[in-house]
Amino acid sequence: MSAGAPLCTGGPEDGLAMLSARTPRYFLLSALLGLTASLPLASTAMAQGNGTSAGTSAGTSASALIVEAEEYALEGNYDAALPLYEQAIAKLANEPHRQNQLRYRYGIILNALGGQRPDLYPLARSQFDAVLRYVESSPGLPFEHSAARIRSALAHTYHQQSALQSNPNKRAVMLRNAYQLYAGAIEELRREEDWQNLAITSFNIGQVCEWQGNLEEAIQWLERAVSLDRRHGFPDLEEDQAYLTALREMVNPERPASNTAI
């Protein structure tokens, strides 16, 4: 469930490099996994391609473009897949629900590729921004992902990109943006009783605080993540508890931290 890139060296985070080797945790249901799981977007498959090769004709349907994009993505050929996703998004301009469903998926793919191609992070953010505007413009509109989930996915793009940013001022801005977006998702996730995504977001915001050098607040967020892991039996409990213990030992090196329950 973890993904990302190691924290860059340099700046005030140098002393935290050992802990910061942990990577940001993907928001549940957001990892680039299970591309073979059929989207409603692609359910009509190539039949709607009007007999043409997907991606080769202006008349190719959005569904056909998505099918071919998914096939390229499964092969790891993202240079071929990404333009097809963009063509499909453009073709769905008159179907906003399907368009934003695809935008969210496309944003997840771009974010997952950002570790190798940081230039894709801004494009991922533009997808999540568009989806968030769509969801928030129509309160109560049925959509697969809540505003909190979308906001947390958007935060994750800043969180991951900060790990690759060598300019300390730009890194600080990215971490601040990530913190604000994660924090904005927290209460909504709690109201929705989305406990596992709440635990993941608590972990991520705790790590952002660590990377900012704010260990005391990082500990508070990790305590929340561990408490949720323990209460609901989530699989990240051992990893999160170890991270929390290491943070506590950094704050109080003279006092060994306990691995017992909070």
Side-chain angles (χ1 to χ4, degrees):
M1 189 157 49
S2 296
L7 182 68
C8 58
T9 58
E13 293 87 352
D14 280 348
L16 307 180
M18 190 170 183
L19 292 183
S20 295
R22 289 177 171 81
T23 54
R25 184 165 294 154
Y26 270 119
F27 204 54
L28 191 65
L29 303 179
S30 293
L32 182 58
L33 298 172
L35 277 172
T36 52
S38 177
L39 275 176
L41 290 162
S43 60
T44 54
M46 301 297 286
Q48 295 185 19
N50 298 322
T52 62
S53 174
T56 62
S57 167
T60 304
S61 71
S63 294
L65 289 167
I66 295 163
V67 168
E68 188 169 2
E70 299 281 90
E71 290 174 352
Y72 280 128
L74 282 168
E75 296 169 2
N77 187 352
Y78 295 106
D79 285 339
L82 299 188
L84 294 173
Y85 281 116
E86 293 182 12
Q87 290 176 45
I89 288 169
K91 282 182 175 287
L92 291 170
N94 294 324
E95 299 181 61
H97 183 93
R98 294 179 71 207
Q99 185 187 59
N100 283 283
Q101 187 184 22
L102 181 57
R103 279 190 183 278
Y104 184 89
R105 185 178 185 82
Y106 184 45
I108 293 301
I109 292 169
L110 293 168
N111 191 37
L113 295 174
Q116 291 74 48
R117 287 189 52 188
D119 61 298
L120 294 179
Y121 283 122
L123 183 56
R125 283 194 282 276
S126 71
Q127 306 308 312
F128 295 134
D129 277 331
V131 179
L132 188 59
R133 288 196 302 271
Y134 171 71
V135 170
E136 291 186 329
S137 68
S138 304
L141 180 73
F143 196 71
E144 291 78 0
H145 307 287
S146 69
R149 290 187 178 193
I150 300 163
R151 194 169 283 108
S152 193
L154 179 57
H156 200 274
T157 68
Y158 287 110
H159 189 173
Q160 285 202 148
Q161 190 177 7
S162 73
L164 304 174
Q165 181 54 250
S166 58
N167 183 303
N169 293 326
K170 291 182 179 179
R171 182 169 65 239
V173 170
M174 288 178 182
L175 288 172
R176 183 165 62 251
N177 289 340
Y179 180 96
Q180 292 170 344
L181 287 162
Y182 282 138
I186 287 286
E187 287 307 316
E188 187 175 346
L189 290 170
R190 185 176 289 108
R191 287 195 301 272
E192 294 169 355
E193 298 185 350
D194 191 350
W195 304 123
Q196 189 162 12
N197 284 323
L198 181 61
I200 289 169
T201 301
S202 297
F203 172 96
N204 283 341
I205 197 170
Q207 186 177 66
V208 167
C209 289
E210 182 216 335
W211 290 6
Q212 291 174 320
N214 189 349
L215 298 185
E216 294 285 356
E217 186 174 355
I219 287 170
Q220 293 173 14
W221 287 110
L222 263 294
E223 286 174 344
R224 297 184 191 187
V226 168
S227 178
L228 287 162
D229 290 343
R230 184 175 291 112
R231 188 186 315 154
H232 298 282
F234 296 145
D236 297 312
L237 174 60
E238 185 175 347
E239 179 185 352
D240 291 354
Q241 181 65 71
Y243 186 16
L244 174 59
T245 298
L247 287 171
R248 286 172 169 168
E249 289 177 347
M250 289 184 69
V251 172
N252 294 299
E254 304 299 324
R255 181 180 177 182
S258 171
N259 273 318
T260 57
I262 296 172

